[in-house]
Amino acid sequence: MSPSQESVFPEYETDTSQTSKLIRKFKETPFVPVGMAGFVAVVGYGLYRLKHRGDMKMSLHLIHMRVAAQGFVVGALTCGVLYSMFREYVGKPKE
């Protein structure tokens, strides 16, 4: 692209690296990284507890781990939606 031509999408050319795009997305939606971190924490804890599950069947342990991880992610996304609705409708002054 020559310097004399203007860019059609200048915001896409400034973010060239994947990490800068990811950081920008995390700033726009702060509950997504919380949900991702919670998911990783629940799965990590579940895998750690897999060794000491006692007489519980493997399939039942995996179902409990899946439900806990999904519950954390759905809860974080719900909080994010409520936060964005609050910021959109209550935080903005009426025109």
Side-chain angles (χ1 to χ4, degrees):
M1 183 175 201
S2 68
S4 63
Q5 293 177 339
E6 286 191 32
S7 174
V8 178
F9 300 111
E11 65 271 4
Y12 290 110
E13 291 181 5
T14 58
D15 293 334
T16 56
S17 69
Q18 292 293 332
T19 56
S20 63
K21 289 179 185 179
L22 189 64
I23 289 170
R24 182 177 48 90
K25 278 299 207 185
F26 283 171
K27 287 180 182 177
E28 291 173 2
T29 54
F31 285 95
V32 172
V34 171
M36 290 169 54
F39 175 78
V40 169
V42 168
V43 169
Y45 179 72
L47 290 174
Y48 173 74
R49 293 292 299 168
L50 185 65
K51 194 175 197 180
H52 308 289
R53 68 181 186 273
D55 59 352
M56 184 187 294
K57 288 185 177 181
M58 170 80 87
S59 61
L60 187 61
H61 177 75
L62 292 176
I63 289 171
H64 287 169
M65 188 173 69
R66 179 185 65 94
V67 168
Q70 283 179 335
F72 196 91
V73 170
V74 168
L77 290 175
T78 303
C79 288
V81 167
L82 291 174
Y83 173 72
S84 67
M85 286 175 56
F86 176 78
R87 195 174 58 188
E88 180 75 24
Y89 296 111
V90 178
K92 271 188 178 178
K94 292 186 179 180
E95 295 175 8

